[in-house]
Amino acid sequence: MATALGAGILALPKMCFNIGILPSLTFIICGAIIATTTMSMLIKASSKMEIYNYSPLVEIVFGKGVGIFFDIFMFIYIAGAIISYQIISNHFSIN
């Protein structure tokens, strides 16, 4: 369940309870503004450079070294997600 929905979403009610409603709303609104702003920047850069894949866009904007780092990071992230999926599906499978 946590892998499908994300640990952050599942932990959000507990975090709101622990720190209070005002700081929680502040963090959530700030996170939404940051996510919207960065997505808008990515869309504008992608349209301006006419590059519609994320990895080549990162490489052109930040340089070849960052592009390679991003590719390695994404490989590790996806491999971890696959391993987590396998562990959880095996845990809930009928023996």
Side-chain angles (χ1 to χ4, degrees):
M1 183 81 164
T3 302
L5 296 177
I9 293 298
L10 294 175
L12 193 60
K14 180 73 172 172
M15 184 268 310
C16 292
F17 179 77
N18 286 341
I19 68 171
I21 190 73
L22 221 52
S24 299
L25 285 175
T26 303
F27 287 135
I28 292 170
I29 291 170
C30 285
I33 290 169
I34 291 169
T36 303
T37 303
T38 56
M39 185 59 69
S40 175
M41 291 169 63
L42 282 170
I43 291 169
K44 288 177 184 176
S46 176
S47 296
K48 186 175 182 179
M49 296 180 185
E50 295 182 0
I51 299 171
Y52 302 106
N53 291 326
Y54 191 68
S55 183
L57 183 63
V58 168
E59 191 172 304
I60 287 176
V61 172
F62 295 110
K64 186 138 181 98
V66 176
I68 292 170
F69 172 77
F70 173 76
D71 289 339
I72 292 169
F73 178 78
M74 287 305 294
F75 175 78
I76 293 169
Y77 177 78
I78 292 171
I82 292 169
I83 291 168
S84 298
Y85 175 76
Q86 292 295 322
I87 290 170
I88 289 174
S89 65
N90 187 32
H91 179 72
F92 290 111
S93 67
I94 298 173
N95 292 331

